């Protein structure tokens, strides 16, 4: 009985945030109509959202809520589709990089478990640590591969022959040199950027982000979709975000 009670309590803690977010998503249009004078709302867990981005944000949060129970072996995402659809000139995806930032900056790569989903298209990656986005780069490729006997081995549907020698060597280099985690030789996808440019884009609130956060750059004064990653890093330097 005690084990059954623990299981029920655990399921309840997982399910209730999903139910709340689903209800908000289901009735998003009447809610938005009635709250048209409110420019920002706060969702459960301290997550703030602009109303004009409400539908996209909620859909992303619903998917993120599934991540802890994703089975890695059966949910490898289609990387060719992700590469094809990742471009949104207005979206930056910030990842936590507390332990990996030295390697991220050296190889211009961010890496993540292959089973973790990223559900909105994005063009830029931000590296986040200590309540601050400290570097930004333009995403070029997303590659899933393992490492075996000194060589990269394809694990998803991404053709490793599409990599340049320089890109291949960068992935191989970060796998061989990283000391942040015990094993990034298996079950990892690699986000290759042109270059990470330093910036200082600080989080205004004390509530830290969990793993990642989507940021709409078109809400930043002075932003243009024609900007380079270096120009965006300069634009955001010294600014704050919620």
């Amino acid at each position: 009985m005690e084990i059954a009670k623990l299981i029920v309590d655990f399921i309840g803690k997982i399910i209730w945030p999903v139910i709340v977010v689903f209800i908000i998503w289901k009735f998003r249009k009447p809610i938005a109509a009635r709250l048209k004078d409110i420019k920002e709302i706060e969702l459960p867990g301290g997550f703030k959202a602009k109303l004009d981005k409400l539908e996209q944000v909620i859909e992303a949060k619903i998917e993120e809520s599934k991540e802890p129970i994703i089975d890695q072996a059966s949910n490898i995402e289609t990387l060719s589709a992700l590469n094809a659809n990742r471009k949104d000139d207005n979206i930056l995806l910030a990842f936590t990089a507390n332990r990996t930032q030295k390697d991220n900056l050296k190889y211009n790569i961010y890496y993540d478990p292959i089973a973790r989903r990223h559900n909105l298209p994005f063009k830029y990656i931000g590296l986040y640590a200590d309540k601050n986005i400290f570097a930004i780069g333009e995403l070029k490729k997303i590659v899933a591969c393992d490492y075996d006997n000194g060589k990269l081995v394809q694990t998803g549907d991404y053709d490793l022959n599409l990599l340049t020698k320089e890109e291949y060597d960068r992935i191989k280099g970060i796998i061989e040199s990283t000391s942040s985690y015990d094993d990034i030789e298996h079950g990892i996808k690699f986000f290759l950027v042109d270059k990470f440019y330093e910036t200082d884009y600080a989080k205004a609130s004390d509530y830290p982000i969990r793993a990642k956060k989507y940021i709409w750059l078109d809400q930043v004064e002075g932003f243009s979709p024609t900007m380079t990653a270096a120009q965006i890093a300069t634009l955001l330097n010294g600014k704050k975000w919620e």
Side-chain angles (χ1 to χ4, degrees):
M1 290 293 293
E2 185 64 25
I3 294 176
K5 183 177 182 301
L6 289 174
I7 293 173
V8 171
D9 290 344
F10 177 73
I11 292 175
K13 289 178 181 179
I14 294 177
I15 294 297
W16 78 260
V18 178
I19 293 174
V20 171
V21 172
F22 174 76
I23 291 173
I24 296 174
W25 177 83
K26 184 70 174 177
F27 298 101
R28 64 193 181 282
K29 291 182 179 178
I31 289 174
R34 290 179 178 272
L35 303 179
K36 62 183 179 180
D37 295 328
I38 299 177
K39 298 188 181 299
E40 185 177 78
I41 64 170
E42 184 166 344
L43 300 176
F47 183 82
K48 292 183 178 180
K50 303 291 184 180
L51 282 181
D52 63 344
K53 304 291 184 181
L54 183 57
E55 183 172 355
Q56 288 177 298
V57 170
I58 291 176
E59 288 174 352
K61 294 302 288 182
I62 288 173
E63 290 301 323
E64 286 178 18
S65 69
K66 301 175 185 175
E67 288 181 2
I69 57 175
I70 288 176
D71 175 58
Q72 181 166 323
S74 62
N75 286 279
I76 295 177
E77 60 191 328
T78 305
L79 288 174
S80 60
L82 192 57
N83 274 284
N85 296 310
R86 62 176 166 74
K87 292 286 187 178
D88 187 307
D89 291 343
N90 299 325
I91 296 182
L92 177 148
L93 181 53
F95 291 99
T96 54
N98 295 290
R99 297 170 58 186
T100 65
Q101 52 186 283
K102 182 179 178 180
D103 291 329
N104 297 147
L105 294 174
K106 179 179 179 179
Y107 293 99
N108 293 306
I109 291 176
Y110 182 83
Y111 55 83
D112 217 13
I114 197 171
R116 183 170 292 159
R117 298 180 180 179
H118 308 97
N119 305 289
L120 296 180
F122 56 96
K123 184 176 180 179
Y124 304 99
I125 283 181
L127 299 179
Y128 169 92
D130 299 322
K131 300 178 183 177
N132 178 59
I133 294 176
F134 61 87
I136 292 172
E138 182 179 345
L139 180 62
K140 296 301 183 181
K141 292 179 181 177
I142 305 171
V143 181
C145 62
D146 286 348
Y147 177 85
D148 186 40
N149 292 323
K151 295 181 179 180
L152 302 186
V153 180
Q154 181 175 321
T155 55
D157 66 345
Y158 187 87
D159 183 358
L160 294 182
N161 291 320
L162 297 175
L163 291 173
T164 66
K165 184 180 184 305
E166 184 268 345
E167 292 168 338
Y168 184 100
D169 289 343
R170 280 164 56 197
I171 296 175
K172 185 171 179 286
I174 199 170
I175 292 173
E176 293 176 340
S177 68
T178 188
S179 58
S180 300
Y181 291 93
D182 293 335
D183 181 17
I184 65 166
E185 296 182 6
H186 304 91
I188 299 295
K189 59 187 171 187
F190 300 87
F191 298 79
L192 281 64
V193 303
D194 56 344
K195 176 180 172 59
F196 278 120
Y197 298 91
E198 293 185 9
T199 190
D200 182 11
Y201 192 35
K203 195 172 191 301
S205 65
D206 292 332
Y207 192 83
I209 72 171
R210 282 177 33 189
K212 64 187 178 185
K213 179 179 177 61
Y214 292 96
I215 294 175
W216 280 266
L217 295 171
D218 58 353
Q219 295 180 354
V220 178
E221 184 177 357
F223 171 76
S224 168
T226 61
M227 283 182 164
T228 64
Q231 291 171 326
I232 294 172
T234 300
L235 173 68
L236 299 182
N237 191 49
K239 289 184 167 60
K240 294 184 181 295
W241 54 281
E242 291 295 333

